[in-house]
Amino acid sequence: MTVVRACVRDGLGGSPTAVLDDGPFGEDERRRVPGAAGASHAVFVTREGERDGRPAFSLRFFTSEGELPACGHGTIAALGFLAARAGADTYEVSLRVAGRTFAGRAVRKGPYAEVGFAYGSVELREPAAAESALFLPALGLDPDALGPGPRVASVGRPRLLVPVASRTELAALAPDMGRLRAACDRLGLLGCYVYSAPSPSGRLAARMFAPAIGVPEDIANANSTACLAAHLAGRGVDRITVDMGDSLGSPATIGATTQAGPSGPVVRLGGGVLVTPPRPLP
C-alpha cells in the first residue's frame, strides 16, 4: 500500500489517499483500508494492458461506507502512484472509471508530481425546493437570504453546489452533520460543496461536507471542483483554482479548466501529489 498526499499546496498538506494494486479483497476488507491507512479514501488499481498506445488501468474507490462510482482526488493520487512506480519523469496513461475512459498525465520530480486528466462532461440542474429546504438549514444557511445560485451537479453521484459571499463566511460554517446526513439519505445526494465567490483570476475556497459516504468534511474534493468548473463556465469563467482543507489543518489546492465539448463543458482537473514509500497494509 502507498499513501499519496493528493492536491498538495506548495508541496504541503493535501489529502492522504491509500493506493494499492487490486486483488481478491472482500467488500469489508476494501472498506477497512481507508481507516487503516489514516485516509478518507482508498483506490484499487488494476492493469488492463494497453489502450490508445498507453498503459491502461481501471480504478475503484472506497470509503469506510462503501464503493464510490468515481473520485477525483483519488484519480489524482492514482496517477501520482503509477508515475512513481514507472519511474518516468513524464508519464501518460489511459484510465477507466465506472465505464468512462480518459487520459491522464504526470510530470514527476522525485516523490512530487504535477498530474492532470480530462474528466469529461458534467450534469447540472436547478435544485428542487425540497433539496434547498433540507440542505441549506443543515449548513446553517437561510434559503431566503441566500437567494439563487445553488445547483445540483453530478459526475457519478449528485451533490449540491452552494455559493457564499466570502472566505470568511465559508470558514465560519459549522454544519449540523446529523441533519445533513439525514438529508443526504432522504434525497440521494452525496453532500454539499460550499464555495466562496471567485476572484477575478478564478481563485476561490471551498469546503465539501459528505457525511453520506462517511466523510464529514473532505480535505480535497476534485469531483466537486469539476462540477463547479462546469457551472462557472456558463458564467464565462474557464479556469479556477480552489483552496480546500484549511479548516482541517491540511491545505490543499485543485485546479480546473473547461473547454467547449459536444454535450457541454469538458473539464480538466489537476493538482500536485507527494508519493510516500510503500508500506505493508495494516
Side-chain angles (χ1 to χ4, degrees):
M1 177 189 71
T2 299
V3 174
V4 179
R5 301 192 72 87
C7 308
V8 296
R9 187 189 307 163
D10 300 324
L12 301 173
S15 180
T17 307
V19 187
L20 60 162
D21 290 307
D22 209 346
F25 299 106
E27 175 81 9
D28 289 344
E29 291 177 286
R30 295 176 190 274
R31 293 170 58 176
R32 185 182 70 84
V33 170
S40 59
H41 296 67
V43 188
F44 294 83
V45 178
T46 299
R47 179 68 190 259
E48 294 187 330
E50 290 196 356
R51 188 165 44 239
D52 301 324
R54 304 182 183 95
F57 296 86
S58 63
L59 307 178
R60 294 180 68 186
F61 309 97
F62 281 79
T63 70
S64 61
E65 294 280 326
E67 187 166 10
L68 303 176
C71 176
H73 82 267
T75 302
I76 287 172
L79 277 167
F81 165 82
L82 291 169
R85 187 162 66 179
D89 291 338
T90 301
Y91 183 72
E92 295 186 347
V93 65
S94 175
L95 299 176
R96 182 168 60 85
V97 174
R100 183 183 296 194
T101 302
F102 50 90
R105 186 172 190 267
V107 178
R108 192 176 68 91
K109 186 175 182 180
Y112 177 79
E114 286 285 344
V115 308
F117 62 97
Y119 208 95
S121 60
V122 175
E123 298 176 8
L124 292 163
R125 66 171 173 84
E126 296 296 324
E131 289 168 329
S132 294
L134 284 175
F135 280 100
L136 298 183
L139 291 168
L141 298 172
D142 182 347
D144 295 327
L146 189 64
R151 301 290 299 278
V152 175
S154 178
V155 289
R157 288 181 66 178
R159 78 281 328 269
L160 189 66
L161 309 179
V162 181
V164 293
S166 67
R167 288 180 179 243
T168 300
E169 185 175 352
L170 179 72
L173 288 178
D176 183 326
M177 289 298 170
R179 292 181 68 184
L180 193 57
R181 175 66 189 259
C184 290
D185 292 344
R186 177 175 173 182
L187 297 175
L189 268 65
L190 178 72
C192 293
Y193 181 83
V194 189
Y195 63 96
S196 65
S199 71
S201 67
R203 189 132 198 169
L204 59 106
R207 296 174 68 185
M208 177 63 182
F209 305 105
I213 59 170
V215 184
E217 183 170 354
D218 216 352
I219 292 172
N221 195 288
N223 274 4
S224 295
T225 299
C227 290
L228 179 63
H231 168 56
L232 293 178
R235 302 185 176 189
V237 179
D238 63 3
R239 182 182 298 272
I240 59 174
T241 303
V242 179
D243 295 327
M244 301 188 71
D246 295 281
S247 59
L248 300 172
S250 187
T253 297
I254 308 160
T257 59
T258 55
Q259 61 184 36
S263 59
V266 176
V267 180
R268 183 172 183 84
L269 287 169
V273 301
L274 280 171
V275 182
T276 67
R279 65 183 195 233
L281 181 64

